[in-house]
Amino acid sequence: MRLFLLTLALILCCTTTCRAGDVIVVADGKLRPVVEIVSGISKTLKTPLRTYSPVQVRGRLETVVAEEQAKVVVALGKEALAEALHLPTHILVIYDMVVVPPPISRPNTTGFYMATPAREYAEFISNHLHDAFTQIAVIGSREQIHLLARGDSSRLSTYSVRNTYDFVTTLQQLGSADAILLLPDISMLTQTALDEAYLLSFKRKIPLLGVSEKHVKDGALFALVVDPVNVGRLIGEYASRALKGANVGQLPPSPPRKFELFLNLDTARKMGIRVPEDLLRMAKRTYP
């Protein structure tokens, strides 16, 4: 009997240990970027990690956190973040899979965002395509220009637009730009607006620089897209530091630090742009 009770206690202890997670991820695990981010987190985080979908924790995330005895919650996506923002402030919340950082008043909250700063495009061009472009027109909302393109490079000229009409009108009036960088405002980058942008781009032989692989597939010259595995590593590092007592919840949101290159070689050919061999080797994917 004593042996049975001892065995039962060991089983219960193991079950509790296996269930408990210092870090909880709230995300839709069916999405490929989520899978890659979680993979990156696991590479740098040496403590238990459990993943819940937003549906599983809707309205009960605080209870789940208490059951898991979690100290850190990683929220991937707007729905997950909305749930996490209601947690007690002693729980660190780290977010990602948002295009730009949302306004958040909750303390002990930090994260990463997916929009690539304009300076990364300017530096990339300086390093690899410096003979092709001297002036890049950056078009986006005032808020996104302030976040992603303020004072970054002499190569950049910024154009603030308020809506789709402003966006198309600004494109039509551009004269001296060698390339056009689109900032990721989904309210302005409608398919109709993008179709007009591609048409003007090819008509005037001014390449568009996109913000996604789809933009490149549709006709943009290239795009620098966040590397989700690397973001996961950074999240894991933040979580590890927090578990050791570091106050990472006061750090400002960070942009991507490593990117994947997508190239449209057909666009380059039609616009007479020579693509160096090193870019072909760097590209994760080329079209066509």
Side-chain angles (χ1 to χ4, degrees):
M1 182 65 177
R2 181 177 297 177
L3 180 60
F4 170 76
L5 291 174
L6 179 60
T7 303
L8 180 61
L10 288 172
I11 292 173
L12 290 174
C13 179
C14 179
T15 302
T16 302
T17 302
C18 292
R19 279 181 50 81
D22 291 327
V23 179
I24 289 176
V25 176
V26 181
D28 183 350
K30 297 178 182 178
L31 298 177
R32 178 180 170 185
V34 169
V35 174
E36 294 179 335
I37 289 172
V38 171
S39 169
I41 295 173
S42 300
K43 293 178 186 299
T44 52
L45 186 68
K46 306 304 180 184
T47 60
L49 177 70
R50 288 179 63 82
T51 302
Y52 292 86
S53 72
V55 174
Q56 285 178 296
V57 300
R58 186 175 296 155
R60 56 181 296 269
L61 179 56
E62 185 174 350
T63 300
V64 173
V65 168
E67 291 174 350
E68 294 282 3
Q69 301 177 23
K71 301 176 180 64
V72 178
V73 171
V74 177
L76 303 181
K78 289 183 178 180
E79 187 178 358
L81 178 57
E83 290 289 334
L85 291 178
H86 296 294
L87 289 170
T89 56
H90 69 275
I91 302 296
L92 170 65
V93 172
I94 307 173
Y95 64 82
D96 190 54
M97 286 189 63
V98 295
V99 177
V100 293
I104 293 175
S105 58
R106 180 188 185 276
N108 206 20
T109 305
T110 188
F112 301 87
Y113 53 92
M114 302 176 72
T116 304
R119 69 172 180 273
E120 298 292 345
Y121 281 85
E123 290 176 4
F124 180 86
I125 286 171
S126 294
N127 293 333
H128 303 285
L129 293 166
H130 59 278
D131 293 332
F133 311 112
T134 57
Q135 199 63 33
I136 305 167
V138 183
I139 302 178
S141 67
R142 182 176 62 181
E143 294 78 10
Q144 290 198 344
I145 286 175
H146 178 74
L147 175 69
L148 300 172
R150 52 178 178 175
D152 279 321
S153 169
S154 60
R155 287 181 181 267
L156 305 178
S157 299
T158 58
Y159 297 83
S160 175
V161 294
R162 294 170 295 178
N163 50 46
T164 301
Y165 176 79
D166 278 355
F167 172 72
V168 175
T169 302
T170 299
L171 282 173
Q172 292 170 339
Q173 294 175 349
L174 287 176
S176 59
D178 301 311
I180 300 168
L181 172 59
L182 308 178
L183 297 184
D185 191 323
I186 59 174
S187 65
M188 281 184 276
L189 297 185
T190 64
Q191 190 57 54
T192 300
L194 283 170
D195 289 344
E196 182 72 17
Y198 294 130
L199 181 64
L200 287 168
S201 169
F202 282 100
K203 181 179 179 180
R204 298 183 180 182
K205 293 189 180 299
I206 303 175
L208 293 179
L209 311 182
V211 295
S212 70
E213 181 180 359
K214 184 179 186 305
H215 287 171
V216 176
K217 186 176 181 181
D218 290 344
L221 177 62
F222 73 86
L224 301 175
V225 182
V226 60
D227 178 344
V229 175
N230 183 67
V231 169
R233 288 178 182 271
L234 296 174
I235 292 173
E237 290 173 5
Y238 270 31
S240 296
R241 289 168 57 190
L243 293 176
K244 294 175 182 176
N247 188 15
V248 299
Q250 302 304 312
L251 296 174
S254 298
R257 300 179 190 175
K258 188 176 179 181
F259 309 92
E260 296 174 329
L261 171 66
F262 297 89
L263 274 170
N264 190 313
L265 299 181
D266 186 52
T267 296
R269 284 191 293 269
K270 288 178 179 177
M271 296 196 179
I273 299 170
R274 188 184 70 83
V275 178
E277 287 295 324
D278 64 327
L279 286 195
L280 294 177
R281 292 190 294 269
M282 289 171 57
K284 181 173 183 180
R285 191 167 293 112
T286 59
Y287 295 93

